[in-house]
PDB file of all heavy atoms in Angstrom:
ATOM      1  N   THR A   7      -6.063 125.330 107.646  1.00 77.00           N
ATOM      2  CA  THR A   7      -5.111 125.015 106.549  1.00 77.00           C
ATOM      3  C   THR A   7      -5.597 125.495 105.157  1.00 77.00           C
ATOM      4  O   THR A   7      -4.882 125.334 104.177  1.00 77.00           O
ATOM      5  CB  THR A   7      -4.817 123.474 106.484  1.00 77.00           C
ATOM      6  OG1 THR A   7      -6.111 122.838 106.423  1.00 77.00           O
ATOM      7  CG2 THR A   7      -4.049 123.038 107.706  1.00 77.00           C
ATOM      8  N   SER A 196      27.935 150.427  76.970  1.00 67.00           N
ATOM      9  CA  SER A 196      27.825 149.021  76.891  1.00 67.00           C
ATOM     10  C   SER A 196      26.437 148.532  77.223  1.00 67.00           C
ATOM     11  O   SER A 196      26.086 147.372  77.032  1.00 67.00           O
ATOM     12  CB  SER A 196      28.860 148.377  77.790  1.00 67.00           C
ATOM     13  OG  SER A 196      28.525 148.582  79.138  1.00 67.00           O
ATOM     14  N   THR A 386      25.729 145.286  65.381  1.00 71.00           N
ATOM     15  CA  THR A 386      25.295 145.903  66.611  1.00 71.00           C
ATOM     16  C   THR A 386      25.869 147.312  66.654  1.00 71.00           C
ATOM     17  O   THR A 386      27.009 147.544  66.290  1.00 71.00           O
ATOM     18  CB  THR A 386      25.816 145.101  67.833  1.00 71.00           C
ATOM     19  OG1 THR A 386      27.199 144.794  67.634  1.00 71.00           O
ATOM     20  CG2 THR A 386      25.002 143.835  68.056  1.00 71.00           C
ATOM     21  N   ARG A 434      33.497 137.420  82.716  1.00 83.00           N
ATOM     22  CA  ARG A 434      32.910 138.666  82.221  1.00 83.00           C
ATOM     23  C   ARG A 434      33.453 139.879  82.946  1.00 83.00           C
ATOM     24  O   ARG A 434      33.786 140.857  82.312  1.00 83.00           O
ATOM     25  CB  ARG A 434      31.424 138.595  82.374  1.00 83.00           C
ATOM     26  CG  ARG A 434      30.666 139.618  81.603  1.00 83.00           C
ATOM     27  CD  ARG A 434      29.234 139.568  81.892  1.00 83.00           C
ATOM     28  NE  ARG A 434      28.578 138.467  81.203  1.00 83.00           N
ATOM     29  CZ  ARG A 434      27.247 138.429  81.018  1.00 83.00           C
ATOM     30  NH1 ARG A 434      26.499 139.430  81.459  1.00 83.00           N
ATOM     31  NH2 ARG A 434      26.687 137.395  80.442  1.00 83.00           N
ATOM     32  N   ARG A 551      28.727 145.559  84.535  1.00 82.00           N
ATOM     33  CA  ARG A 551      29.361 146.766  83.915  1.00 82.00           C
ATOM     34  C   ARG A 551      28.885 148.032  84.525  1.00 82.00           C
ATOM     35  O   ARG A 551      29.354 149.135  84.141  1.00 82.00           O
ATOM     36  CB  ARG A 551      28.984 146.816  82.408  1.00 82.00           C
ATOM     37  CG  ARG A 551      29.268 145.515  81.675  1.00 82.00           C
ATOM     38  CD  ARG A 551      30.699 145.226  81.725  1.00 82.00           C
ATOM     39  NE  ARG A 551      30.979 143.882  81.226  1.00 82.00           N
ATOM     40  CZ  ARG A 551      31.604 143.586  80.142  1.00 82.00           C
ATOM     41  NH1 ARG A 551      32.042 144.523  79.332  1.00 82.00           N
ATOM     42  NH2 ARG A 551      31.796 142.348  79.794  1.00 82.00           N
ATOM     43  N   GLU A 631       2.938 125.448  93.039  1.00 85.00           N
ATOM     44  CA  GLU A 631       3.400 124.070  93.303  1.00 85.00           C
ATOM     45  C   GLU A 631       4.505 124.069  94.335  1.00 85.00           C
ATOM     46  O   GLU A 631       4.503 123.209  95.248  1.00 85.00           O
ATOM     47  CB  GLU A 631       3.879 123.397  92.005  1.00 85.00           C
ATOM     48  CG  GLU A 631       4.193 121.945  92.136  1.00 85.00           C
ATOM     49  CD  GLU A 631       5.085 121.435  91.052  1.00 85.00           C
ATOM     50  OE1 GLU A 631       4.885 121.887  89.899  1.00 85.00           O
ATOM     51  OE2 GLU A 631       5.921 120.554  91.334  1.00 85.00           O
ATOM     52  N   ARG A 809      -4.507  95.973 101.530  1.00 76.00           N
ATOM     53  CA  ARG A 809      -5.293  95.722 102.748  1.00 76.00           C
ATOM     54  C   ARG A 809      -5.290  94.305 103.098  1.00 76.00           C
ATOM     55  O   ARG A 809      -5.623  93.940 104.271  1.00 76.00           O
ATOM     56  CB  ARG A 809      -6.743  96.253 102.505  1.00 76.00           C
ATOM     57  CG  ARG A 809      -6.932  97.691 102.799  1.00 76.00           C
ATOM     58  CD  ARG A 809      -8.400  98.041 102.797  1.00 76.00           C
ATOM     59  NE  ARG A 809      -8.994  97.780 101.479  1.00 76.00           N
ATOM     60  CZ  ARG A 809      -9.074  98.635 100.510  1.00 76.00           C
ATOM     61  NH1 ARG A 809      -8.612  99.811 100.637  1.00 76.00           N
ATOM     62  NH2 ARG A 809      -9.610  98.321  99.363  1.00 76.00           N
ATOM     63  N   ARG A 949     -12.276 100.281 106.086  1.00 78.00           N
ATOM     64  CA  ARG A 949     -12.001 101.374 105.161  1.00 78.00           C
ATOM     65  C   ARG A 949     -13.333 102.009 104.680  1.00 78.00           C
ATOM     66  O   ARG A 949     -13.476 103.236 104.661  1.00 78.00           O
ATOM     67  CB  ARG A 949     -11.220 100.905 103.973  1.00 78.00           C
ATOM     68  CG  ARG A 949     -10.966 102.004 103.053  1.00 78.00           C
ATOM     69  CD  ARG A 949     -10.155 101.726 101.857  1.00 78.00           C
ATOM     70  NE  ARG A 949     -10.524 102.840 100.883  1.00 78.00           N
ATOM     71  CZ  ARG A 949     -11.059 102.643  99.733  1.00 78.00           C
ATOM     72  NH1 ARG A 949     -11.357 101.408  99.353  1.00 78.00           N
ATOM     73  NH2 ARG A 949     -11.384 103.672  99.001  1.00 78.00           N
TER      74      ARG A 949
ATOM     75  P     G B  26       8.470 111.837  91.597  1.00 91.87           P
ATOM     76  OP1   G B  26       7.773 111.266  92.703  1.00 91.87           O
ATOM     77  OP2   G B  26       8.515 111.126  90.273  1.00 91.87           O
ATOM     78  O5'   G B  26       8.015 113.283  91.321  1.00 91.87           O
ATOM     79  C5'   G B  26       8.053 114.191  92.426  1.00 91.87           C
ATOM     80  C4'   G B  26       7.849 115.602  91.974  1.00 91.87           C
ATOM     81  O4'   G B  26       9.005 116.002  91.143  1.00 91.87           O
ATOM     82  C3'   G B  26       6.696 115.788  90.974  1.00 91.87           C
ATOM     83  O3'   G B  26       5.488 115.952  91.640  1.00 91.87           O
ATOM     84  C2'   G B  26       7.095 117.051  90.214  1.00 91.87           C
ATOM     85  O2'   G B  26       6.869 118.212  91.025  1.00 91.87           O
ATOM     86  C1'   G B  26       8.612 116.824  90.072  1.00 91.87           C
ATOM     87  N9    G B  26       8.872 116.159  88.829  1.00 91.87           N
ATOM     88  C8    G B  26       9.266 114.837  88.640  1.00 91.87           C
ATOM     89  N7    G B  26       9.473 114.509  87.348  1.00 91.87           N
ATOM     90  C5    G B  26       9.198 115.705  86.673  1.00 91.87           C
ATOM     91  C6    G B  26       9.228 115.977  85.287  1.00 91.87           C
ATOM     92  O6    G B  26       9.513 115.255  84.345  1.00 91.87           O
ATOM     93  N1    G B  26       8.876 117.321  85.037  1.00 91.87           N
ATOM     94  C2    G B  26       8.527 118.252  86.011  1.00 91.87           C
ATOM     95  N2    G B  26       8.255 119.465  85.530  1.00 91.87           N
ATOM     96  N3    G B  26       8.509 117.983  87.283  1.00 91.87           N
ATOM     97  C4    G B  26       8.823 116.712  87.573  1.00 91.87           C
ATOM     98  P     C B  34      -7.086  99.982  98.232  1.00 91.87           P
ATOM     99  OP1   C B  34      -7.369  98.821  99.063  1.00 91.87           O
ATOM    100  OP2   C B  34      -8.160 100.828  97.704  1.00 91.87           O
ATOM    101  O5'   C B  34      -6.082 100.951  99.045  1.00 91.87           O
ATOM    102  C5'   C B  34      -5.002 100.419  99.782  1.00 91.87           C
ATOM    103  C4'   C B  34      -4.212 101.521 100.399  1.00 91.87           C
ATOM    104  O4'   C B  34      -3.744 102.401  99.362  1.00 91.87           O
ATOM    105  C3'   C B  34      -4.995 102.463 101.304  1.00 91.87           C
ATOM    106  O3'   C B  34      -5.187 101.882 102.550  1.00 91.87           O
ATOM    107  C2'   C B  34      -4.089 103.663 101.336  1.00 91.87           C
ATOM    108  O2'   C B  34      -2.915 103.446 102.117  1.00 91.87           O
ATOM    109  C1'   C B  34      -3.664 103.728  99.877  1.00 91.87           C
ATOM    110  N1    C B  34      -4.521 104.634  99.059  1.00 91.87           N
ATOM    111  C2    C B  34      -4.404 105.973  99.149  1.00 91.87           C
ATOM    112  O2    C B  34      -3.598 106.455  99.954  1.00 91.87           O
ATOM    113  N3    C B  34      -5.224 106.806  98.426  1.00 91.87           N
ATOM    114  C4    C B  34      -6.082 106.266  97.586  1.00 91.87           C
ATOM    115  N4    C B  34      -6.875 107.072  96.929  1.00 91.87           N
ATOM    116  C5    C B  34      -6.254 104.829  97.463  1.00 91.87           C
ATOM    117  C6    C B  34      -5.491 104.051  98.207  1.00 91.87           C
ATOM    118  P     U B  35      -6.509 102.151 103.338  1.00 91.87           P
ATOM    119  OP1   U B  35      -6.501 101.278 104.550  1.00 91.87           O
ATOM    120  OP2   U B  35      -7.633 102.086 102.385  1.00 91.87           O
ATOM    121  O5'   U B  35      -6.361 103.651 103.819  1.00 91.87           O
ATOM    122  C5'   U B  35      -5.241 104.041 104.545  1.00 91.87           C
ATOM    123  C4'   U B  35      -5.241 105.548 104.626  1.00 91.87           C
ATOM    124  O4'   U B  35      -5.037 106.134 103.342  1.00 91.87           O
ATOM    125  C3'   U B  35      -6.571 106.136 105.060  1.00 91.87           C
ATOM    126  O3'   U B  35      -6.734 106.027 106.434  1.00 91.87           O
ATOM    127  C2'   U B  35      -6.394 107.580 104.615  1.00 91.87           C
ATOM    128  O2'   U B  35      -5.596 108.254 105.466  1.00 91.87           O
ATOM    129  C1'   U B  35      -5.706 107.379 103.278  1.00 91.87           C
ATOM    130  N1    U B  35      -6.645 107.404 102.136  1.00 91.87           N
ATOM    131  C2    U B  35      -6.984 108.611 101.628  1.00 91.87           C
ATOM    132  O2    U B  35      -6.544 109.607 102.009  1.00 91.87           O
ATOM    133  N3    U B  35      -7.888 108.553 100.554  1.00 91.87           N
ATOM    134  C4    U B  35      -8.454 107.439 100.006  1.00 91.87           C
ATOM    135  O4    U B  35      -9.219 107.538  99.064  1.00 91.87           O
ATOM    136  C5    U B  35      -8.044 106.174 100.625  1.00 91.87           C
ATOM    137  C6    U B  35      -7.201 106.195 101.632  1.00 91.87           C
ATOM    138  P     A B  39      -6.380 117.315 100.467  1.00 91.87           P
ATOM    139  OP1   A B  39      -7.701 117.898 100.341  1.00 91.87           O
ATOM    140  OP2   A B  39      -6.268 115.865 100.596  1.00 91.87           O
ATOM    141  O5'   A B  39      -5.506 117.774  99.261  1.00 91.87           O
ATOM    142  C5'   A B  39      -6.130 118.351  98.082  1.00 91.87           C
ATOM    143  C4'   A B  39      -5.180 119.349  97.439  1.00 91.87           C
ATOM    144  O4'   A B  39      -5.283 120.618  98.117  1.00 91.87           O
ATOM    145  C3'   A B  39      -3.712 118.952  97.499  1.00 91.87           C
ATOM    146  O3'   A B  39      -3.116 119.131  96.214  1.00 91.87           O
ATOM    147  C2'   A B  39      -3.090 119.977  98.499  1.00 91.87           C
ATOM    148  O2'   A B  39      -1.735 120.330  98.184  1.00 91.87           O
ATOM    149  C1'   A B  39      -3.967 121.153  98.268  1.00 91.87           C
ATOM    150  N9    A B  39      -4.022 122.127  99.346  1.00 91.87           N
ATOM    151  C8    A B  39      -3.541 122.029 100.627  1.00 91.87           C
ATOM    152  N7    A B  39      -3.739 123.085 101.343  1.00 91.87           N
ATOM    153  C5    A B  39      -4.377 123.976 100.475  1.00 91.87           C
ATOM    154  C6    A B  39      -4.872 125.254 100.622  1.00 91.87           C
ATOM    155  N6    A B  39      -4.761 125.968 101.734  1.00 91.87           N
ATOM    156  N1    A B  39      -5.431 125.857  99.577  1.00 91.87           N
ATOM    157  C2    A B  39      -5.553 125.152  98.443  1.00 91.87           C
ATOM    158  N3    A B  39      -5.141 123.937  98.148  1.00 91.87           N
ATOM    159  C4    A B  39      -4.564 123.345  99.240  1.00 91.87           C
ATOM    160  P     C B  72      20.090 137.682  74.768  1.00 91.87           P
ATOM    161  OP1   C B  72      19.059 138.663  75.032  1.00 91.87           O
ATOM    162  OP2   C B  72      20.613 137.518  73.397  1.00 91.87           O
ATOM    163  O5'   C B  72      21.327 137.952  75.660  1.00 91.87           O
ATOM    164  C5'   C B  72      21.211 138.121  77.077  1.00 91.87           C
ATOM    165  C4'   C B  72      22.484 138.112  77.778  1.00 91.87           C
ATOM    166  O4'   C B  72      23.173 136.879  77.494  1.00 91.87           O
ATOM    167  C3'   C B  72      23.532 139.124  77.307  1.00 91.87           C
ATOM    168  O3'   C B  72      23.275 140.444  77.833  1.00 91.87           O
ATOM    169  C2'   C B  72      24.804 138.497  77.831  1.00 91.87           C
ATOM    170  O2'   C B  72      24.887 138.681  79.245  1.00 91.87           O
ATOM    171  C1'   C B  72      24.552 137.036  77.530  1.00 91.87           C
ATOM    172  N1    C B  72      25.139 136.647  76.254  1.00 91.87           N
ATOM    173  C2    C B  72      26.517 136.411  76.187  1.00 91.87           C
ATOM    174  O2    C B  72      27.192 136.594  77.184  1.00 91.87           O
ATOM    175  N3    C B  72      27.078 136.037  74.995  1.00 91.87           N
ATOM    176  C4    C B  72      26.305 135.890  73.928  1.00 91.87           C
ATOM    177  N4    C B  72      26.924 135.541  72.777  1.00 91.87           N
ATOM    178  C5    C B  72      24.908 136.133  73.946  1.00 91.87           C
ATOM    179  C6    C B  72      24.365 136.491  75.134  1.00 91.87           C
ATOM    180  P     C B  73      23.678 141.697  76.983  1.00 91.87           P
ATOM    181  OP1   C B  73      23.129 142.839  77.668  1.00 91.87           O
ATOM    182  OP2   C B  73      23.420 141.453  75.546  1.00 91.87           O
ATOM    183  O5'   C B  73      25.256 141.672  77.161  1.00 91.87           O
ATOM    184  C5'   C B  73      25.849 141.920  78.440  1.00 91.87           C
ATOM    185  C4'   C B  73      27.292 141.684  78.348  1.00 91.87           C
ATOM    186  O4'   C B  73      27.594 140.343  77.928  1.00 91.87           O
ATOM    187  C3'   C B  73      28.074 142.520  77.368  1.00 91.87           C
ATOM    188  O3'   C B  73      28.255 143.864  77.837  1.00 91.87           O
ATOM    189  C2'   C B  73      29.339 141.770  77.266  1.00 91.87           C
ATOM    190  O2'   C B  73      30.175 141.925  78.428  1.00 91.87           O
ATOM    191  C1'   C B  73      28.849 140.329  77.245  1.00 91.87           C
ATOM    192  N1    C B  73      28.638 139.815  75.854  1.00 91.87           N
ATOM    193  C2    C B  73      29.754 139.404  75.179  1.00 91.87           C
ATOM    194  O2    C B  73      30.898 139.486  75.702  1.00 91.87           O
ATOM    195  N3    C B  73      29.593 138.915  73.887  1.00 91.87           N
ATOM    196  C4    C B  73      28.406 138.863  73.331  1.00 91.87           C
ATOM    197  N4    C B  73      28.320 138.342  72.116  1.00 91.87           N
ATOM    198  C5    C B  73      27.264 139.277  74.045  1.00 91.87           C
ATOM    199  C6    C B  73      27.376 139.742  75.293  1.00 91.87           C
ATOM    200  P     C B  74      28.342 145.022  76.768  1.00 91.87           P
ATOM    201  OP1   C B  74      28.460 146.265  77.530  1.00 91.87           O
ATOM    202  OP2   C B  74      27.224 144.836  75.803  1.00 91.87           O
ATOM    203  O5'   C B  74      29.682 144.696  76.046  1.00 91.87           O
ATOM    204  C5'   C B  74      30.925 145.013  76.663  1.00 91.87           C
ATOM    205  C4'   C B  74      32.106 144.482  75.874  1.00 91.87           C
ATOM    206  O4'   C B  74      31.775 143.075  75.511  1.00 91.87           O
ATOM    207  C3'   C B  74      32.420 145.083  74.547  1.00 91.87           C
ATOM    208  O3'   C B  74      33.140 146.315  74.755  1.00 91.87           O
ATOM    209  C2'   C B  74      33.252 144.010  73.968  1.00 91.87           C
ATOM    210  O2'   C B  74      34.563 143.970  74.482  1.00 91.87           O
ATOM    211  C1'   C B  74      32.534 142.751  74.299  1.00 91.87           C
ATOM    212  N1    C B  74      31.554 142.325  73.240  1.00 91.87           N
ATOM    213  C2    C B  74      32.085 141.712  72.085  1.00 91.87           C
ATOM    214  O2    C B  74      33.284 141.587  71.979  1.00 91.87           O
ATOM    215  N3    C B  74      31.235 141.257  71.147  1.00 91.87           N
ATOM    216  C4    C B  74      29.925 141.425  71.288  1.00 91.87           C
ATOM    217  N4    C B  74      29.086 141.012  70.331  1.00 91.87           N
ATOM    218  C5    C B  74      29.367 142.077  72.465  1.00 91.87           C
ATOM    219  C6    C B  74      30.223 142.466  73.412  1.00 91.87           C
ATOM    220  P     A B  75      32.947 147.472  73.719  1.00 91.87           P
ATOM    221  OP1   A B  75      33.769 148.566  74.246  1.00 91.87           O
ATOM    222  OP2   A B  75      31.518 147.661  73.418  1.00 91.87           O
ATOM    223  O5'   A B  75      33.660 146.904  72.417  1.00 91.87           O
ATOM    224  C5'   A B  75      35.111 146.779  72.379  1.00 91.87           C
ATOM    225  C4'   A B  75      35.487 146.266  71.034  1.00 91.87           C
ATOM    226  O4'   A B  75      34.876 144.984  70.808  1.00 91.87           O
ATOM    227  C3'   A B  75      34.984 147.103  69.815  1.00 91.87           C
ATOM    228  O3'   A B  75      35.840 148.159  69.578  1.00 91.87           O
ATOM    229  C2'   A B  75      34.925 146.099  68.724  1.00 91.87           C
ATOM    230  O2'   A B  75      36.133 145.853  68.155  1.00 91.87           O
ATOM    231  C1'   A B  75      34.502 144.813  69.461  1.00 91.87           C
ATOM    232  N9    A B  75      32.981 144.637  69.461  1.00 91.87           N
ATOM    233  C8    A B  75      32.106 144.996  70.369  1.00 91.87           C
ATOM    234  N7    A B  75      30.828 144.683  70.076  1.00 91.87           N
ATOM    235  C5    A B  75      30.970 144.013  68.888  1.00 91.87           C
ATOM    236  C6    A B  75      30.052 143.421  67.974  1.00 91.87           C
ATOM    237  N6    A B  75      28.739 143.356  68.244  1.00 91.87           N
ATOM    238  N1    A B  75      30.509 142.875  66.861  1.00 91.87           N
ATOM    239  C2    A B  75      31.860 142.910  66.598  1.00 91.87           C
ATOM    240  N3    A B  75      32.813 143.448  67.312  1.00 91.87           N
ATOM    241  C4    A B  75      32.306 144.017  68.443  1.00 91.87           C
TER     242        A B  75
END
Side-chain angles (χ1 to χ4, degrees):
Chain A
T7 51
S196 70
T386 45
R434 196 184 285 199
R551 310 297 168 112
E631 187 199 324
R809 275 189 299 271
R949 181 179 158 242

